[in-house]
Amino acid sequence: MLTPRRMKNPKADPHIEIKAIYAEVERRPLPRQCAMRTGCCHFRLAGHTPLLTRGEALYAAQGVRASGRKALKPHPDGACPLLGRDGRCTIYTHRPFGCRTHFCAEAGGMYPRKHVADLIQRLEALDEQLGGSGSRPLEAAVSAALAEK
Ligand code: SF4
C-alpha cells in the first residue's frame, strides 16, 4: 500500500495517491446497492454537502477540465454543480471520497467511519503535504482548485 509518508514527491503528482485511495475504497467489502437516484447529490434534500480535502479537489478539478469546463455553474435545483442535466455525475470517475462512501438508506447507508478511517487519514495527510487547510465544501474546494491554473 502506498502511504503518503512513502511517497517520494506527492506534490509532483498528488493524483497518484488520490487514485490509490479511491481504488482502495472500491476493494473494501462493503456491499451497497446504489440505484443512481442521486438523492445524495441534491444537497438541500440530503441535508449535507460533501467536504473535500485539497487532493480530492485537485483531482475533481481535473475531471471538470476533462469535461471541457473551466468553472462551476450553480445547478438550477440547488444540487451539486457537478450533477448533469441528465441526472448523472459529470465527473463520475473523479468524484470525491464522500461520494464514494456516503450512500442513502435505500442503498445501504453510509460507510461506517471505522471501515475507512485509515483512508481518511491518508486524505488528511495528503492535504497537509499539499498545503491545504482541511476539508472544504465541494463547490468552494473545486472552484478554488480550478482557479489555480
Ligand atoms: S460530485 Fe458527482 S456524485 Fe458527488 S455529489 Fe456531485 S454530482 Fe453527486
Side-chain angles (χ1 to χ4, degrees):
M1 184 189 301
L2 183 67
T3 64
R5 261 187 226 104
R6 280 193 267 152
M7 291 168 62
K8 286 181 183 157
N9 184 5
K11 286 189 179 181
D13 188 358
H15 298 158
I16 291 172
E17 172 67 346
I18 287 292
K19 284 192 232 178
I21 292 169
Y22 291 171
E24 182 61 30
V25 173
E26 301 298 322
R27 285 194 287 271
R28 299 275 156 111
L30 295 169
R32 293 293 183 271
Q33 308 256 324
C34 178
M36 308 285 271
R37 293 193 183 98
T38 68
C40 55
C41 308
H42 289 265
F43 302 155
R44 281 189 215 143
L45 296 177
H48 72 91
T49 300
L51 300 176
L52 279 62
T53 54
R54 185 160 155 68
E56 292 172 86
L58 291 169
Y59 191 57
Q62 186 187 62
V64 174
R65 288 193 192 97
S67 71
R69 290 167 292 171
K70 293 181 180 167
L72 300 186
K73 281 190 193 154
H75 191 282
D77 297 337
C80 176
L82 297 166
L83 185 64
R85 302 292 165 95
D86 61 356
R88 293 184 171 271
C89 177
T90 56
I91 61 154
Y92 193 73
T93 59
H94 289 72
R95 70 196 188 285
F97 187 81
C99 306
R100 296 163 191 266
T101 55
H102 187 107
F103 294 87
C104 63
E106 292 81 6
M110 201 167 145
Y111 276 16
R113 187 180 166 93
K114 67 180 179 183
H115 287 295
V116 289
D118 58 321
L119 301 179
I120 293 170
Q121 284 170 3
R122 283 170 66 179
L123 288 171
E124 290 171 347
L126 181 61
D127 184 80
E128 200 176 317
Q129 289 170 352
L130 294 171
S133 52
S135 298
R136 303 173 67 191
L138 183 147
E139 187 164 354
V142 177
S143 292
L146 284 168
E148 285 187 31
K149 285 184 194 170

